[in-house]
Amino acid sequence: MKHVLKIFSLLVAISGLWIGLLQASIIPRSHTWLLPIYFIVSLGCYGLLMVGVGLMGFPTCPQEALLLQQDIAEAKYFLKQRGVDVDSE
């Protein structure tokens, strides 16, 4: 629930800032109307950046890789016993 309140308060603050800029005419009105679109595009770029950084720093798991290779070998042996050709590449 606290996370929802943080998001809601952030949205209220951003909306208040946007409405204030519309009323004060500090920034030209043609630019002010585009601020929500800029915000959404910026948020999307930030999200893509975070996904990219997360993928670049993805931890390797050598123990899990060995277990996976063992499972693959067991599956190949099981299928080979049943007459399935799994080694054709």
Side-chain angles (χ1 to χ4, degrees):
M1 189 66 179
K2 290 181 183 181
H3 193 64
V4 172
L5 290 175
K6 272 198 238 180
I7 292 172
F8 183 71
S9 63
L10 182 64
L11 287 175
V12 167
I14 290 172
S15 298
L17 178 67
W18 183 54
I19 291 171
L21 287 173
L22 281 173
Q23 296 297 323
S25 296
I26 296 172
I27 298 175
R29 190 172 285 276
S30 61
H31 296 306
T32 309
W33 283 108
L34 295 174
L35 284 177
I37 295 170
Y38 292 150
F39 177 71
I40 291 170
V41 169
S42 302
L43 192 62
C45 291
Y46 174 75
L48 285 174
L49 177 71
M50 289 296 106
V51 167
V53 168
L55 286 175
M56 286 177 18
F58 191 74
T60 57
C61 305
Q63 293 173 339
E64 295 298 322
L66 289 175
L67 289 174
L68 182 60
Q69 290 297 326
Q70 288 175 355
D71 288 343
I72 291 171
E74 288 176 17
K76 282 183 178 181
Y77 178 72
F78 176 79
L79 291 172
K80 199 175 284 184
Q81 284 181 339
R82 305 286 188 278
V84 178
D85 183 24
V86 291
D87 285 328
S88 62
E89 293 181 15

